Amino acid sequence: MTDYPDKKTDEHYMQIALEEAYAAARAGEVPIGAVLVQGDQVIAVDRNRREEYCDGTAHAELLVMRKAGQVLGGWRLSRCTLYVTLEPCPMCAGAMVQSRVGRLVFGASDPKGGAAGTLYDIVRDNRLNHRLEVTGGILKEECASLLQEFFRIRRD
C-alpha cells in the first residue's frame, strides 16, 4: 500500500482545494475545487469551469486529472491523491477509476449525486478493474457551508 498523508496533511491540501472553490464561486461557477498530489508535490490545481468553458464536463476533478496527465506524461495516476471539496459525481468517479487514481479525499458528502459511498460507490466497486482508497469528511463543514451559501444566494 502506498504511504499516504496524515489528517493534518490532508487538511492542508483540502485548504488549497477550498481556495479554488472560493475562486469558482467568485466566477459564478458551482464552488468546487480540486488538487492532485503525488507524494508531497502538487501536480495540478483547478476548479469547476462549466460556465467559463461552456462544457458540462468541465468539473474540477476532470480538469486536474487532465492537467496531471500532461505534467506526468501519462494517464495512470496510481501514485496520486485527488483532493476535492465535494464528493465526486458518477462521471468524475468513473474517470478516477479509468485514470487509476490511487486515493480520493473529499470534503462534503453529496446526498444527491455522490459516487464515492453516499449514493453510489463507483470508486470502490468490486466489479471494476480498479478501486480507490477513499477518505471523506476532511474540512467538511467549510466545504458544505460554501456550497450552501452559494446556492442560497442563487435562490434569492
Side-chain angles (χ1 to χ4, degrees):
M1 184 65 52
T2 307
D3 292 326
Y4 290 117
D6 59 18
K7 183 176 180 187
K8 187 173 184 176
T9 303
D10 283 345
E11 289 176 354
H12 167 74
Y13 291 120
M14 187 61 71
Q15 191 61 51
I16 296 170
L18 267 164
E19 290 169 16
E20 286 295 308
Y22 282 107
R26 288 189 300 273
E29 300 276 358
V30 174
I32 299 171
V35 179
L36 195 128
V37 176
Q38 186 177 62
D40 62 356
Q41 182 179 6
V42 173
I43 304 299
V45 178
D46 217 326
R47 59 182 174 82
N48 270 9
R49 295 181 184 269
R50 294 186 315 171
E51 303 301 327
E52 178 183 349
Y53 292 173
C54 298
D55 179 356
T57 69
H59 289 199
E61 302 96 307
L62 293 182
L63 297 175
V64 297
M65 286 187 285
R66 289 175 186 150
K67 286 181 179 180
Q70 299 277 315
V71 170
L72 298 172
W75 59 268
R76 286 181 179 88
L77 304 174
S78 58
R79 295 176 40 219
C80 297
T81 299
L82 196 154
Y83 293 85
V84 63
T85 55
L86 180 65
E87 181 180 2
C89 71
M91 174 182 67
C92 292
M96 288 176 206
V97 170
Q98 292 301 312
S99 297
R100 311 296 195 270
V101 171
R103 181 173 181 238
L104 165 66
V105 178
F106 67 88
S109 297
D110 184 359
K112 294 183 179 181
T118 300
L119 188 58
Y120 308 103
D121 203 358
I122 292 170
V123 297
R124 291 180 289 208
D125 191 320
N126 286 327
R127 297 168 294 181
L128 301 176
N129 63 344
H130 178 75
R131 283 162 295 290
L132 287 69
E133 181 177 325
V134 177
T135 302
I138 301 296
L139 301 181
K140 67 181 177 183
E141 290 83 10
E142 189 172 351
C143 293
S145 175
L146 174 59
L147 284 157
Q148 290 164 353
E149 181 66 9
F150 176 82
F151 286 112
R152 185 193 64 72
I153 290 168
R154 285 288 185 116
R155 284 189 300 271
D156 291 347

